[in-house]
Amino acid sequence: MSLVMSRACVAVLAVLLLSSVCQAQLSSSFYDRTCPNALSTIRSAVRTAIARERRMAASLIRLHFHDCFVQGCDASILLVDAPSITSEQNAIQNKGSARGYEVIDKAKSDVEKIRPGVVSCADILAVAARDASEYASISHVGGPSWTTKLGRRDSTIASMNLASSQLPRFTASLESLIDLFGSKGLSSRDMVALSGSHAIGQAQCVTFRDRIYNNASDIDAGFASTRRHHCPTNLDNGDENLAAMDLVTPNSFDNNYFKNLMPKKGLLASDQVLFSRDGNPLSLFHAPFYAPL
């Protein structure tokens, strides 16, 4: 059994599982009559944004994940501070790192021009994440795609406290991650599949500084040395410096994320714990949905 997930499995499972935390009755044909051009309009906005900045694909997927993990997929992450709202954007897991809001705003604006007041922001987030994954997966023969169920309603409330306590942290232990995903009805194998979205995107130096300087046994020495070049040990300098999650194919949604964990080259501590504990591979990483390329 291969330890790495096929490209199609990563892309499809990651975003499908993101939406599985939603409990509403949804339908892929929800807007067929009320706004038949909604999906193509959203796709156009997403592709334009990613063509302008490849990193945006990962940002949109992460934005959807951070929305779904708090109160369900309800666009609560888009709500800003107001007299009755403390925005989830202020949570430590979001502040200064969650991005892509302007892309969702643009897609919403474009859809509103076609049919005002019909398409929810929550659905736009879900479709944008799917389209971002598909765009990042495109190869010479085309990337995978799937049908996104729609009909979510937008929240009128947000919870920074829930965001702070329920969104995964880059320092999380394996046990806490399993418990956290389990509280959302997701298994450890679901968790591994969702973590595959880290195949693309970048992380800030502050999120991996301790890992690359602690000389622990769970990180490749050469990998740590390379990562130190743009992440100084000085705690007052370089916190926001960016590093690709995957050095080989940083903008492609492929299975290098899983390959990197095997030689201890996971950038975040919370990623590396998925593969090894005290140097031994974890059984959850041998999930039956892994397949050879």
Side-chain angles (χ1 to χ4, degrees), residues 1-6 9 13 17 187-194 258 274-275 281-292:
M1 181 71 68
S2 173
L3 294 182
V4 294
M5 182 184 288
S6 71
C9 284
L13 279 172
L17 286 170
S187 70
S188 58
R189 290 185 291 176
D190 295 335
M191 176 183 70
V192 172
L194 282 166
F258 296 102
L274 300 182
F275 182 71
L282 293 170
S283 59
L284 65 86
F285 206 70
H286 293 257
F289 53 64
Y290 289 98

Side-chain angles (χ1 to χ4, degrees), residues 21-22 61-78 88 94 121-123 125-126 152 155 167:
V21 271
C22 303
I61 293 171
R62 183 173 185 260
L63 191 64
H64 180 47
F65 175 79
H66 281 215
D67 177 44
C68 290
F69 235 61
V70 182
Q71 303 182 145
C73 309
D74 61 359
S76 59
I77 194 172
L78 302 181
E88 293 169 16
N94 291 325
C121 290
D123 279 341
L125 269 170
R152 299 167 184 81
S155 176
L167 288 173

Side-chain angles (χ1 to χ4, degrees), residues 162-202:
L162 286 178
S164 297
S165 63
Q166 294 185 3
L167 288 173
R169 301 197 179 207
F170 58 86
T171 55
S173 67
L174 177 65
E175 290 74 15
S176 65
L177 287 171
I178 291 174
D179 289 344
L180 187 57
F181 279 79
S183 71
K184 305 297 181 181
L186 299 170
S187 70
S188 58
R189 290 185 291 176
D190 295 335
M191 176 183 70
V192 172
L194 282 166
S195 298
S197 64
H198 284 179
I200 60 175
Q202 299 176 325

